[in-house]
């Protein structure tokens, strides 16, 4: 009589945490302290805890807090990655998320911020997960408010404009950009707050409206339209 198949399933979450540093999109990796792949750089991740997590997003938030010491103002489910070969421990599924943060002021031991286009070989299928997240972020940056979550508050419109250009890798007409920001209606001026920028007169400072901190706003046409 044939024995029943092994039905054990490894269920995890992985988080692609992105920031913009020195004009480069960078991802947070940490050094694994256990097998498999002990000592390798990998995405922050962990098991889903069925006894405490109400869903995979709860697990992703917990992983961010425990392994990165951060809470992201924007967290979105990316995709699921599964199969018998991605994890040497057995058949596994990972629900991947991506998160955006301004440049953190501090980091924890074992953390490394690396440019997304110059990554080493990553364990599991983390390289594919990062590539999928980067493609999603750059695509959404063409028509949405997503890049705002990379900008530390308060900020000027020229600062936000530069972040959009860095993500898209192309120049954006300043007049078109300001028009699109008006269409999105996600920003509010900080009363009486301005910042000097070079030889120009001081620029108005802005912040994201509270109601849009976890909500993505879309514009009907591209930013260069």
């Amino acid at each position: 009589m044939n024995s029943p198949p092994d039905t054990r399933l490894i269920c995890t979450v992985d988080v692609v945490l992105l920031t913009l540093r020195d004009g480069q999109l960078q991802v947070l990796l940490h050094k694994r302290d256990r097998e498999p792949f002990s000592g390798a750089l990998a995405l922050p991740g962990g098991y889903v805890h069925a006894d405490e997590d109400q869903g995979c997003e709860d697990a992703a938030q917990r992983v961010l807090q425990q392994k990165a010491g951060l809470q992201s103002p924007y967290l979105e489910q990316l995709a699921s990655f599964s199969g018998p070969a991605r994890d040497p421990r057995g058949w596994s599924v990972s629900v991947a998320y991506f998160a955006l943060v301004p440049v953190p002021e501090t980091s924890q031991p074992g953390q490394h911020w690396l440019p997304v286009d110059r990554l080493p070989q990553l364990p599991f299928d983390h390289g594919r997960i990062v590539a999928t997240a980067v493609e999603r972020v750059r695509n959404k940056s063409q028509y949405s408010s997503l890049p705002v979550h990379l900008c530390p508050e308060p900020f000027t419109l020229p600062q936000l404009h530069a972040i959009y250009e860095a993500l898209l890798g192309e120049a954006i007409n300043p007049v078109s950009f300001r028009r699109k920001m008006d269409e999105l209606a996600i920003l509010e001026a900080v009363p009486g707050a301005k910042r000097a920028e070079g030889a120009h007169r001081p620029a108005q400072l802005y912040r994201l409206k509270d109601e849009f901190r976890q909500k993505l706003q879309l514009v009907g046409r591209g930013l260069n339209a």
Side-chain angles (χ1 to χ4, degrees), residues 74-144:
Y74 187 83
L75 179 70
E76 179 180 322
Q77 188 176 128
L78 177 65
S80 61
F81 298 81
S82 61
R86 62 178 304 273
D87 190 322
R89 292 169 293 188
W91 211 104
S92 69
V93 57
S94 173
V95 181
Y97 288 78
F98 71 91
L100 304 180
V101 292
V103 177
E105 296 180 358
T106 60
S107 61
Q108 296 183 349
Q111 290 183 346
H112 300 267
W113 288 97
L114 297 180
V116 296
D117 56 355
R118 295 201 300 274
L119 294 179
Q121 184 72 31
L122 300 180
F124 308 105
D125 50 3
H126 287 188
R128 184 160 71 98
I129 295 175
V130 172
T132 303
V134 169
E135 181 180 17
R136 173 81 61 85
V137 168
R138 286 181 168 153
N139 285 341
K140 282 197 167 185
S141 296
Q142 298 179 42
Y143 59 85
S144 78

Side-chain angles (χ1 to χ4, degrees), residues 17-164:
L17 183 62
L18 298 167
T19 195
L20 197 66
R21 187 195 301 261
D22 300 326
Q24 296 179 314
L25 190 62
Q26 299 190 4
V27 63
L28 180 70
L29 302 175
H30 76 105
K31 185 171 291 188
R32 289 182 57 82
D33 59 3
R34 65 189 65 182
E35 296 295 345
F37 307 113
S38 179
L41 292 178
L43 293 171
Y47 291 105
V48 174
H49 293 173
D51 58 340
E52 61 177 288
D53 296 325
Q54 297 302 306
C56 288
E57 184 169 334
D58 284 350
Q61 292 280 15
R62 174 173 51 77
V63 163
L64 267 181
Q65 181 63 46
Q66 292 177 349
K67 295 195 173 181
L70 295 170
Q71 289 183 330
S72 172
Y74 187 83
L75 179 70
E76 179 180 322
Q77 188 176 128
L78 177 65
S80 61
F81 298 81
S82 61
R86 62 178 304 273
D87 190 322
R89 292 169 293 188
W91 211 104
S92 69
V93 57
S94 173
V95 181
Y97 288 78
F98 71 91
L100 304 180
V101 292
V103 177
E105 296 180 358
T106 60
S107 61
Q108 296 183 349
Q111 290 183 346
H112 300 267
W113 288 97
L114 297 180
V116 296
D117 56 355
R118 295 201 300 274
L119 294 179
Q121 184 72 31
L122 300 180
F124 308 105
D125 50 3
H126 287 188
R128 184 160 71 98
I129 295 175
V130 172
T132 303
V134 169
E135 181 180 17
R136 173 81 61 85
V137 168
R138 286 181 168 153
N139 285 341
K140 282 197 167 185
S141 296
Q142 298 179 42
Y143 59 85
S144 78
S145 62
L146 187 60
V148 173
H149 298 288
L150 292 169
C151 204
E153 295 184 350
F155 50 81
T156 65
L157 283 181
Q159 285 179 303
L160 185 57
H161 182 205
I163 283 179
Y164 269 86

Side-chain angles (χ1 to χ4, degrees), residues 133-209:
V134 169
E135 181 180 17
R136 173 81 61 85
V137 168
R138 286 181 168 153
N139 285 341
K140 282 197 167 185
S141 296
Q142 298 179 42
Y143 59 85
S144 78
S145 62
L146 187 60
V148 173
H149 298 288
L150 292 169
C151 204
E153 295 184 350
F155 50 81
T156 65
L157 283 181
Q159 285 179 303
L160 185 57
H161 182 205
I163 283 179
Y164 269 86
E165 288 188 326
L167 277 179
L168 296 176
E170 62 182 24
I172 300 173
N173 181 279
V175 176
S176 295
F177 179 77
R178 287 176 178 269
R179 184 174 65 247
K180 297 304 179 184
M181 290 302 105
D182 288 340
E183 289 181 25
L184 289 171
I186 58 172
L187 304 181
E188 62 183 7
V190 180
K194 295 186 176 182
R195 179 181 296 156
E197 296 188 335
H200 304 286
R201 65 182 182 180
Q204 174 66 49
L205 289 172
Y206 292 86
R207 62 193 172 207
L208 187 64
K209 294 178 181 177

Side-chain angles (χ1 to χ4, degrees), residues 2-25:
N2 292 332
S3 59
D6 188 346
T7 57
R8 289 176 297 176
L9 175 68
I10 299 170
C11 185
T12 62
V13 293
D14 290 297
V15 182
V16 182
L17 183 62
L18 298 167
T19 195
L20 197 66
R21 187 195 301 261
D22 300 326
Q24 296 179 314
L25 190 62

